[in-house]
Structure formats: C-alpha cells, structure tokens
Amino acid sequence: MTESNLSSRLYPTRIDIPSEARSKIVVLLNQTLAATLDLKTQVKQAHWNVKGTDFYQLHELFDEIAGELEEFIDLVAERVTALGGYAMGTARMAVANSILPEYPVDILAGIEHVTALADRFAPYAKHLREAIDKTNELGDADTADLYTEVSRTIDKRLWFLEAHLQGSATNGAVATAKTQQPAVAR
C-alpha cells in the first residue's frame, strides 16, 4: 500500500462522521502529524546546538517547547486513529510530508536559533488555523477543538520566540537612544 493510500485509509468505526469527511480529516491530521514531528525534531536540534550568552535560558526553553510538541504529536496521532485512520508517524514519513523547511545546520548563536524556530513556528501556526476552519467545515468540532488547543499554545510559543527577536538589535537601539536623552527638569 502506498503512503498516499495509508494517509487516507479508514478502519471501521462507530463515530458518526461520514467516511468521506473522516478520510479528508485524517489526511489533514496526518499532514499535521508530519509537521509536528518535524517541528519537534527541529526544536531539539536547536536545544542541542544553541550557544552564546543566553545558552541556558534558550536550552531550557527549547526543551520545554519540544516536550509540548511531543504531547501534541500524541494527541494528533490518537485523533487519526480514533477517526479510524492510520497514523503516519515515523520520522521518514514526517520528512516526506512536512510543510516545514529543513533546519539550518550552519547556525550556533542563540538569536539565530530563535529566528530559525520563529520562521518555522509561523507557517505551522498558519497551518493549524487553516485546519480549524477545514475541520469545522467538515463537521468535526472535536478535531477543530484539538487544533484550537494546539494553535493557542503554538501562538504563545511564537510570541515567546519573537520577544527574543524584538528585544535584540532594533529595540536595543531604541532603548539606547532613550537612555541618552537629556533629563527633563522638574
């Protein structure tokens, strides 16, 4: 059986969502599973290889994020199988089906890893929001709710990553300019 057939194959279930809708939802969930597996491994890549003055904080943050993604992987895969689908959860399947770009291997500095991760969290977050809409349209409020739960956390983590970027070069220059202004007499 080919991978494309596996991603939409259904087993019998008593869940009352029509099989045509379940098949489409399972394909979408398997895309999400691939991207989530890929994102988790990319976050771990950053966790293992980050260097610089913010090493410890970023090392810990990346590990925490990877742990959250591991939980989402399980939620998504279990939803696939609950709908009667086949969870496509191997590393090779993830590589073949992920929407994310490959992680750069020539970076070390914390800010470079933060940027690379933010550049991956943004399209992943967009995918999740689109999946909320698609699963709602297909009549599966439970899967839409699962996507909403994941989306909320991913948006929060993207905010955390972007806060590091916003506090770097450009905002640092603004802060320096503010501290160099003459004091106002009272």
Side-chain angles (χ1 to χ4, degrees):
M1 187 167 270
T2 67
E3 258 190 41
S4 63
N5 291 344
L6 277 177
S7 71
S8 62
R9 175 173 70 182
L10 294 178
Y11 295 98
T13 180
R14 289 176 178 78
I15 289 182
D16 64 345
I17 299 170
S19 62
E20 184 179 314
R22 282 188 299 117
S23 181
K24 291 176 183 176
I25 295 164
V26 164
V27 168
L28 181 59
L29 284 164
N30 271 317
Q31 287 176 326
T32 305
L33 181 57
T36 311
L37 278 160
D38 188 18
L39 186 58
K40 182 209 166 200
T41 63
Q42 292 193 33
V43 171
K44 287 303 279 190
Q45 183 72 14
H47 165 77
W48 295 319
N49 290 292
V50 66
K51 306 282 188 258
T53 57
D54 292 331
F55 162 77
Y56 185 76
Q57 298 89 328
L58 292 175
H59 182 76
E60 291 294 311
L61 175 64
F62 297 160
D63 202 38
E64 187 177 312
I65 292 171
E68 289 170 344
L69 290 167
E70 183 66 34
E71 291 178 27
F72 297 149
I73 289 164
D74 203 44
L75 284 174
V76 171
E78 287 178 353
R79 186 64 184 161
V80 168
T81 58
L83 292 171
Y86 184 84
M88 311 245 327
T90 70
R92 290 178 185 174
M93 290 172 177
V95 167
N97 297 301
S98 180
I99 60 168
L100 303 176
E102 180 60 51
Y103 198 77
V105 295
D106 59 344
I107 60 175
L108 293 174
I111 200 72
E112 293 172 318
H113 284 289
V114 170
T115 300
L117 290 176
D119 288 346
R120 281 141 185 85
F121 269 73
Y124 179 70
K126 180 181 179 188
H127 165 80
L128 295 172
R129 281 188 290 283
E130 289 170 350
I132 293 166
D133 293 339
K134 287 177 187 173
T135 53
N136 268 325
E137 290 168 12
L138 291 167
D140 186 357
D142 292 339
T143 301
D145 185 55
L146 180 150
Y147 275 119
T148 301
E149 176 186 347
V150 175
S151 177
R152 193 174 300 122
T153 300
I154 294 305
D155 282 351
K156 181 179 175 183
R157 289 312 190 172
L158 180 56
W159 166 50
F160 278 31
L161 293 168
E162 288 180 335
H164 285 276
L165 299 174
Q166 292 162 352
S168 63
T170 48
N171 285 357
V174 172
T176 303
K178 285 180 182 176
T179 59
Q180 292 176 351
Q181 292 177 347
V184 178
R186 291 186 189 200

